[in-house]
Amino acid sequence: MSNKTIQMEDALHAYYIESTLREPDLFRELREETASLPESNMQISPEQGQFMRVLIELMGARKTVEIGTFTGYSALSVASALPEDGRLVACDVSEVWTAIGKRYWEAAGVAEKIDLRIGPGTETLDQLIEEGEAGSFDFAFIDADKTGYDTYYEKCLVLLRQGGLITIDNTLWGGKIANPSDNDSDTLAIRDLLVKVRDDKRVSSSLVPIGDGLLLARKR
Ligand code: CA
């Protein structure tokens, strides 16, 4: 028993996956295809995808956005939990990575819910704000370049309705945030964001140690 977050060593993690993971075959196949890419560690873990599906269902979310789609596992997770008329605006800079995702979105029957926008995330978010969509989104997932996190956070806060949720990936950053000798720009950006969100009166927040850390910020 422990009153702090448990350390998940390999045997416990394997047990956790074996006894709790619900992962449709298509999702697993997308993970397996992505595993052959050099950037495969950019994909979220399957237990995190499952957690995000629960969040979407819990909120009854309909309108969602993600920044950083990669090969589409998180989009597949979110879109599959959305109702039929739900929508995910998926932002990424890569046609190549997202083309992999598209195949699985189509096979899973969720492609119509996903509005893929290729281009810098900041521009797409600005475009949504200009199109009058501020205050209308239920859910946002931020998982792109870490030095852009603060900008994405601010723009997502504008797009979210009151009570909407921003989720921010890699916020434990493989433990690097706690190592004082790690001071690269990505690490510094994540450290700054954690302190900012902790002290941000506009949101309620919690960092969930699932995957590489998922920071939740609910707009008040
Ligand atoms: Ca990530």
Side-chain angles (χ1 to χ4, degrees):
M1 301 286 278
S2 174
N3 63 358
K4 67 171 195 178
T5 303
I6 195 166
Q7 295 287 308
M8 190 87 78
E9 87 282 11
D10 287 351
L12 178 57
H13 184 255
Y15 187 87
Y16 167 80
I17 293 295
E18 176 64 29
S19 52
T20 71
L21 186 66
R22 299 179 179 208
E23 188 183 41
D25 288 344
L26 267 173
F27 288 49
R28 180 179 44 75
E29 287 161 23
L30 172 53
R31 271 199 304 119
E32 287 167 359
E33 180 168 348
T34 304
S36 64
L37 300 177
E39 303 88 354
S40 62
N41 66 348
M42 283 169 54
Q43 185 164 57
I44 63 166
S45 69
E47 63 270 36
Q48 182 176 333
Q50 182 170 331
F51 178 62
M52 288 166 62
R53 299 205 295 278
V54 172
L55 290 178
I56 295 290
E57 291 180 8
L58 193 60
M59 298 178 69
R62 304 185 102 77
K63 210 168 159 184
T64 62
V65 59
E66 75 171 7
I67 302 94
T69 295
F70 187 44
T71 60
Y73 190 94
S74 51
L76 182 60
S77 299
V78 167
S80 68
L82 289 172
E84 279 309 310
D85 62 347
R87 172 182 174 221
L88 169 67
V89 178
C91 309
D92 203 279
V93 291
S94 170
E95 297 266 11
V96 177
W97 288 338
T98 52
I100 298 171
K102 270 191 204 166
R103 282 193 275 114
Y104 288 87
W105 302 340
E106 276 158 24
V110 299
E112 287 192 358
K113 297 180 195 172
I114 301 175
D115 173 7
L116 177 64
R117 310 270 186 107
I118 300 293
T122 308
E123 287 177 18
T124 303
L125 295 174
D126 280 340
Q127 205 176 359
L128 290 169
I129 293 166
E130 278 163 30
E131 288 165 1
E133 304 219 45
S136 70
F137 279 78
D138 301 304
F139 177 92
F141 177 54
I142 299 174
D143 187 15
D145 53 299
K146 309 315 170 200
T147 52
Y149 267 22
D150 184 58
T151 303
Y152 303 139
Y153 173 73
E154 287 297 333
K155 293 187 188 300
C156 286
L157 261 186
V158 173
L159 285 169
L160 242 56
R161 63 164 167 88
Q162 190 183 4
L165 183 70
I166 303 180
T167 60
I168 310 172
D169 199 35
N170 301 108
T171 37
L172 287 173
W173 202 224
K176 285 174 74 177
I177 48 165
N179 183 346
S181 59
D182 267 315
N183 289 300
D184 59 273
S185 55
D186 290 343
T187 306
L188 291 175
I190 292 170
R191 276 194 199 122
D192 288 349
L193 185 73
L194 290 185
V195 170
K196 172 176 171 166
V197 172
R198 181 195 66 197
D199 298 335
D200 191 342
K201 300 282 186 286
R202 299 172 295 175
V203 298
S204 310
S205 67
S206 177
L207 202 178
V208 181
I210 191 166
D212 192 27
L214 186 66
L215 179 60
L216 310 186
R218 178 186 182 270
K219 184 175 176 179
R220 290 177 164 163

